[in-house]
């Protein structure tokens, strides 16, 4: 059986993308290095420290702690794990908006923590009052999303930080997808904008690094130390990781992507893809579809089932939200020509 | 700052190695594919199913279930997680020999499960009586190691399976490192040799696949389904993974390595590296050092601290066991010439 890599010219559903050429090159070079074993592979471990520094700059932390995780799920899980272990209760809970990524439910299951989901407002953003109603003395962590998976929404991060503070919980921001576009917007979303304790930002999504390159950042090194319990002979932050052996390709790829793109390359990508999102949203509205206004470069539109299926049959990789809207994620590989071709296919449907 | 990938010509400490050339090529080709999203990346998902089939053949399972994990830590953690969730107790424990990899302690911490470590025998193997003494009605899982990290020992797997059976616990075998050499020995270690429920076997160690390519195999699909709780709309085994986004490079690399090397290439590697281990062990003994007999291709020898430090200063990447022996892991990149050079450096120390 012959297998071929996925061509990106029809992918509109993924939150991953083609790595930047420099990132691809670095990943290939460091494919066999293991940043999980710094004594054997010191250079890639040093590269990881550089990546954490640059991610700190992006997320408003002068003195960042953290590491390159396998992805957003690991970073979110590690945040919940730290909160669980620091909480002074045997029955901790996490309060998150219902727009939170599925990984929080996975983390809850793995970590045996209750997740309380709060309804979102009419614009799909977390409602701080609804979150506050569900938070109590046993709340270990409050979660805000900066760039939701389904609609690309940015929760009111400072207000959620206040809710977390009121119940003495840690506050985590999931910017796994949004972290590389938000710096070029007016949103308040990071450590510099609110009392954020932990944050997920994935180089392998909008950061144009190869998989696996997630990012887990923390303000207080004590939070990271919590994850390193039972490794007293290991000093460095990297031993707080969930995995043992880790990918040198991911670390080196993230290093090269950040070097090539932060900040101007990411700004250009954001501006181009935000313009594409707005243009595509307008084109869908002209055709009579209900479209969720693209706050970030992600368009959700209420296409009929048959239309969605027809696009899939044409080879377009599209997916749907839980409530049924078709999602078009304006990842860096998505071009105006691709979107034009989608519109042509829509127009040809009857 | 200029960083370079680690040259393997001085690495004797790592359980990772240079990927096979075909594996490297495949990894590069599928670097941007995400097997965690089979609807968007169907080919790499199909490759993963092939990998699970071949791993099943290696570990004695006709009808294997499982997936390509990020590494042995994830696979071990998932095994403990499944056992915890299937156990009919709120205070489950796991009984493992004290030779078990550190990842079991990490899993215990993440999963809030007690790990009970049983002393090993004079040959560093699990003592079934000592394991049985620590097992009780709340034991969710018994662990056996097929190729220990420190001394390359193979536990008495059938006897440990009996202990697990007596307390109605799942039985997990950690063959993360040993799984690609054991098929060419007389050891009893896999699903076909005993009532094993779950098993870890890492293509990115002796399997010569690039990182990240761990392997998690299970006999009963119900065990895998346990890990997929709360994803009722997802049918396939791959949704039981810990991570969301996963590495196409790891899956495609493992696919290519297995295709190129199973079984004859792995057999040749085992025979060459076992001979190197025995030759090196004899050479160290001739020089008056205490050497732990290499049952598998891994030599542990009691070098004085100053000698160990001198080797490190010569640029050799060596590490030590908890009890202080220097470890030399005969990974596929380790040559007779490298070992000769180590001996020359030892002889020059006087």
């Amino acid at each position: 059986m012959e297998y071929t890599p996925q061509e990106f010219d029809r992918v509109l559903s993924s939150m991953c993308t083609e790595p930047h050429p420099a990132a691809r090159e670095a990943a290939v070079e460091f494919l066999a290095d293991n940043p999980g074993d710094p004594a054997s592979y010191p250079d890639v471990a040093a590269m990881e420290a550089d990546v954490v520094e640059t991610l700190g700059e992006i997320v408003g932390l002068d003195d960042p702690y953290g590491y390159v995780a396998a992805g957003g799920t690991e970073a979110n899980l590690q945040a919940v794990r730290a909160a669980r272990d620091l909480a002074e209760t045997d029955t901790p809970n996490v309060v998150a908006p219902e727009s939170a990524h599925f990984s929080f439910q996975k983390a809850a299951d793995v970590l045996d923590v209750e997740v309380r989901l709060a309804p979102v407002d009419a614009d799909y953003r977390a409602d701080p009052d609804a979150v506050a109603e569900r938070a109590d003395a046993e709340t270990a962590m409050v979660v805000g999303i900066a760039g939701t998976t389904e609609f690309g929404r940015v929760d009111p991060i400072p207000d959620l930080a206040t809710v977390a503070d009121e119940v003495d919980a840690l506050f985590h921001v999931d910017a796994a997808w949004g972290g590389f576009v938000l710096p070029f917007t007016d949103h308040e979303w990071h450590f510099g904008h609110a009392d954020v304790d932990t944050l997920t930002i994935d180089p392998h999504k909008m950061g144009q690094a190869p998989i696996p390159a997630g990012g887990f950042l923390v303000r207080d090194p004590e939070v990271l130390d919590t994850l390193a319990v039972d490794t007293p002979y290991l000093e460095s932050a990297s031993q707080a990781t969930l995995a043992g052996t880790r990918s040198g390709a991911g670390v080196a790829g993230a290093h090269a992507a950040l070097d090539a793109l932060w900040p101007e390359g990411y700004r250009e990508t954001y501006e181009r893809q935000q313009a594409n999102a707005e243009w595509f949203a307008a084109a869908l509205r002209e055709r009579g579809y209900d479209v969720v206004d693209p706050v970030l470069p992600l368009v959700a539109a209420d296409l009929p089932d048959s239309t969605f299926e027809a696009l899939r049959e044409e080879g377009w990789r599209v997916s749907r939200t839980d409530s049924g809207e078709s999602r078009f994620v304006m990842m860096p590989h998505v071009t105006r020509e691709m979107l034009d071709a989608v519109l042509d296919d829509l127009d040809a449907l009857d």
Side-chain angles (χ1 to χ4, degrees), chain A:
Chain A
M1 174 95 201
E2 193 62 39
Y3 298 115
T4 53
Q6 182 61 44
E7 297 284 349
F8 278 90
D9 60 358
R10 299 239 139 188
V11 175
L12 296 161
S13 54
S14 185
M15 286 190 152
C16 292
T17 190
E18 287 180 301
H20 184 275
R24 176 177 279 275
E25 196 178 316
V28 171
E29 201 181 350
F30 285 84
L31 194 62
D33 277 48
N34 172 15
D37 181 2
S40 295
Y41 304 90
D43 272 35
V44 79
M47 292 173 99
E48 182 170 20
D50 285 356
V51 170
V52 170
E53 279 302 311
T54 307
L55 291 177
E57 211 178 290
I58 296 173
V59 303
L61 265 188
D62 288 340
D63 193 13
Y65 295 86
Y67 71 90
V68 177
T73 293
E74 176 180 333
N76 288 337
L77 188 149
Q78 292 280 73
V80 177
R81 181 182 163 206
R84 178 196 70 178
D85 291 351
L86 289 167
E88 285 166 1
T89 167
D90 290 333
T91 52
N93 67 69
V94 168
V95 185
E98 62 185 8
S99 55
H101 185 258
F102 172 72
S103 53
F104 289 97
Q105 194 54 56
K106 199 184 267 188
D109 182 56
V110 169
L111 299 166
D112 200 14
V113 167
E114 180 194 0
V115 168
R116 299 176 179 175
L117 295 179
V120 294
D121 68 17
D123 191 36
Y124 309 99
R125 300 167 82 219
D127 171 357
D129 291 337
V131 171
E133 273 167 34
R134 282 154 186 83
D136 58 24
E138 302 200 290
T139 298
M141 171 167 274
V142 169
V143 176
I145 317 293
T148 61
T149 306
E150 296 199 320
F151 298 105
R153 262 32 190 178
V154 185
D155 289 338
I157 298 301
D159 294 346
L160 292 173
T162 302
V163 173
D165 189 53
E166 278 164 4
V167 293
D168 206 18
L170 290 186
F171 180 46
H172 176 69
V173 170
D174 182 357
W177 177 74
F180 287 90
V181 296
L182 286 162
F184 315 108
T185 70
D186 293 332
H187 294 284
E188 294 187 299
W189 63 283
H190 68 36
F191 291 98
H193 300 137
D195 191 8
V196 175
D197 294 294
T198 56
L199 184 144
T200 296
I201 173 171
D202 286 357
H204 72 202
K205 292 193 171 84
M206 274 290 184
Q208 300 179 47
I211 302 164
F216 179 53
L217 276 290
V218 309
R219 186 192 295 272
D220 180 347
E222 193 205 327
V223 172
L224 214 56
D225 287 347
T226 305
L227 301 175
V229 285
D230 296 312
T231 61
Y233 50 95
L234 301 174
E235 294 294 299
S236 74
S238 62
Q239 278 66 26
T241 59
L242 192 61
T245 297
R246 292 186 295 135
S247 163
V251 166
H255 191 272
L258 290 168
D259 199 46
L261 295 169
W262 171 253
E264 280 314 311
Y266 292 129
R267 179 192 300 277
E268 284 164 24
T269 302
Y270 162 70
E271 287 174 355
R272 183 179 65 247
Q273 299 308 68
Q274 184 62 29
N276 276 335
E278 287 167 16
W279 176 85
F280 189 63
L284 290 173
R285 279 202 191 97
E286 271 170 31
R287 285 160 176 80
Y289 301 115
D290 278 344
V291 179
V292 179
D293 200 42
V295 169
L296 294 179
L298 191 163
V299 177
D302 199 8
L303 306 185
D305 285 359
S306 58
T307 306
F308 173 81
E309 295 302 341
L311 288 179
R312 292 276 310 174
E313 272 162 40
E314 289 292 329
W316 295 107
R317 307 270 182 226
V318 279
S319 64
R320 282 193 283 194
T321 66
D322 210 35
S323 45
E325 290 88 353
S326 297
R327 287 165 69 246
F328 304 87
V329 190
M330 302 292 144
M331 295 304 292
H333 65 268
V334 175
T335 62
R336 187 68 65 100
E337 290 67 34
M338 283 169 68
L339 299 173
D340 251 329
V342 172
L343 295 174
D344 285 348
D345 284 348
L346 285 177
D347 292 341
L349 284 179
D350 59 353

